[in-house]
Amino acid sequence: MFVWSKRIVIGLLAAFVILLGLFLIQSTGAASSNLKMHTTRWITLNYTGLVIWVFVWMIDQARVRGKNVWFWLVPFLFAPLPVLMLFVLYLQRKLQA
């Protein structure tokens, strides 16, 4: 992969660990609503990480095939799964000679 580098991976993992630590420190553990808040934060953190990872994969695939991926960024932020499916179909279409 062209896009992934050690600095990117270490930076993303460090950000994940720091945010997770912040979420754990902020929870008091006494009320039942804290579990809901912690769970919501955990799901949001994981979803955000997944979206970033998938878009970096899209950048890598577009670069390998010589396509422009930045056109896909805004739609991807609003609906990641459908845009990902359309992007894969776009990359798989046959080239015209």
Side-chain angles (χ1 to χ4, degrees):
M1 292 178 131
F2 295 117
V3 176
W4 285 107
S5 70
K6 288 183 182 179
R7 282 189 276 162
I8 291 174
V9 171
I10 291 170
L12 290 174
L13 287 174
F16 178 81
V17 169
I18 289 169
L19 287 173
L20 180 60
L22 287 173
F23 295 160
L24 291 174
I25 290 171
Q26 288 179 354
S27 66
T28 59
S32 63
S33 63
N34 287 337
L35 179 60
K36 292 178 187 175
M37 180 61 77
H38 175 66
T39 304
T40 303
R41 288 178 178 169
W42 176 254
I43 290 170
T44 304
L45 178 63
N46 279 291
Y47 180 77
T48 304
L50 181 64
V51 166
I52 291 169
W53 179 57
V54 168
F55 193 72
V56 169
W57 177 84
M58 287 172 63
I59 293 170
D60 184 59
Q61 294 302 309
R63 185 175 289 175
V64 168
R65 290 168 174 81
K67 304 289 183 186
N68 187 5
V69 73
W70 298 108
F71 168 76
W72 298 87
L73 176 62
V74 174
F76 183 76
L77 293 176
F78 290 108
L81 188 58
V83 172
L84 176 63
M85 291 186 291
L86 289 172
F87 180 74
V88 169
L89 290 174
Y90 169 72
L91 290 180
Q92 288 182 349
R93 67 189 177 127
K94 295 188 182 216
L95 297 175
Q96 297 175 357

